[in-house]
Amino acid sequence: MRVLVTGGAGFIGSHVVDALRARGHEALVYDVRQDPAADVRDPVAVARALAGVDAVCHQAAMVGLGDGVTDAAEYVSRNDLGTAVLLAAMAGSGVGRLVLAGSMVVYGEGRYECREHGVVRPRPRAVADLDAGRFEPPCPACGRALAPGLVAEDAPADPRNVYATTKLAQEHLAAAWARSTGGTAVSLRYHNVYGPRMPRDTPYAGVASFFRSALARGEAPRVFEDGRQRRDFVHVRDVAAANLAALDADTPKGALTAYNTGSGEPHTVGEMARTLAAAYGGPRPVVTGEYRLGDVRHITADSARLRAELGWKPQVGFQEGMREFARAGLRGE
């Protein structure tokens, strides 16, 4: 199979390229890191890159929480306009298979259950509560404490920052393309991906990169809130394998199918920081009580659909992955 990988020189994209080539596929890298002319928003360049292509793995995106809404136009341009240009070019060239780098951020907060009111959707956390160190979202009906659980693909979308909004828009665009062309579209809703080649400490890097960058400087990782927020940390090679499984899958034509892509093993951010610091041999993390307003408290995946329908399962365990990540270099080092 001849596969165009947008963002193929980036963190996740480069691992997707490696996995494709190891499986005997022809992987074509389309990335401004390698060629400034390879902008996914350029319809002429994209159409040229699609010549002879069987499928597209669309990894190119501006990622991370960013800086509130000050960079909203850049997010929309890179993520949504770029996806629209790519899909229009695919429709024109007859490429009928798409695997999209989706994200768990489309859910907003994860799944919560109240003893009295059952499954509920908490409201966005208030600044006054965060300033006071009240990080857990209460039940919107009675104000009592909630129990977090695993979120499934049928949970309602509730994006709570600019990046999350653009990732949901990408899915809607891909669904519209699939309906219009009869193409096959899969969105892999990545959870917290980590591993070799992560970008260095930037406003757009993931929390694992922040911690690893601090350790490389000889500094203690700074853990926001109280460190008890839950995430699903999934290794980048497992995510690359999920992309291959999605390319090979017999998914419905004319529709978008979404799959949570996580390890299925929730860990707290504080636990991840302590595990990484111990593996690196650096200073213990410091819990700061700071927060970012666009962050959610708990978001962890139920990846049962991906396992059942695509035959995928993660191969890299949490402890093993953190030991490797502690030794791995970051992009820019």
Side-chain angles (χ1 to χ4, degrees), residues 73-220:
E74 189 70 9
Y75 270 110
V76 171
S77 176
R78 290 175 181 259
N79 295 356
D80 299 339
L81 175 59
T83 299
V85 169
L86 172 66
L87 294 171
M90 289 175 65
S93 61
V95 179
R97 181 170 287 271
L98 172 73
V99 178
L100 173 68
S103 177
M104 54 83 180
V105 295
V106 301
Y107 299 117
E109 287 284 356
R111 184 182 189 275
Y112 291 86
E113 190 165 353
C114 173
R115 288 183 180 179
E116 181 177 350
H117 297 98
V119 175
V120 296
R121 297 288 294 173
R123 301 184 184 95
R125 296 183 295 174
V127 170
D129 287 337
L130 295 170
D131 285 341
R134 295 188 293 269
F135 302 119
E136 295 288 345
C139 174
C142 66
R144 293 191 178 94
L146 298 172
L150 300 181
V151 61
E153 290 89 349
D154 59 358
D158 186 16
R160 298 195 174 186
N161 56 60
V162 169
Y163 170 62
T165 302
T166 66
K167 295 307 289 184
L168 182 59
Q170 284 184 308
E171 288 195 354
H172 288 317
L173 288 166
W177 165 82
R179 286 193 297 270
S180 174
T181 65
T184 298
V186 172
S187 177
L188 297 175
R189 291 175 176 170
Y190 301 158
H191 280 247
N192 287 70
V193 186
Y194 73 97
R197 305 177 204 162
M198 280 197 85
R200 292 190 66 179
D201 193 1
T202 77
Y204 307 97
V207 66
S209 174
F210 280 117
F211 295 164
R212 175 65 177 76
S213 297
L215 291 166
R217 297 191 300 267
E219 301 172 2

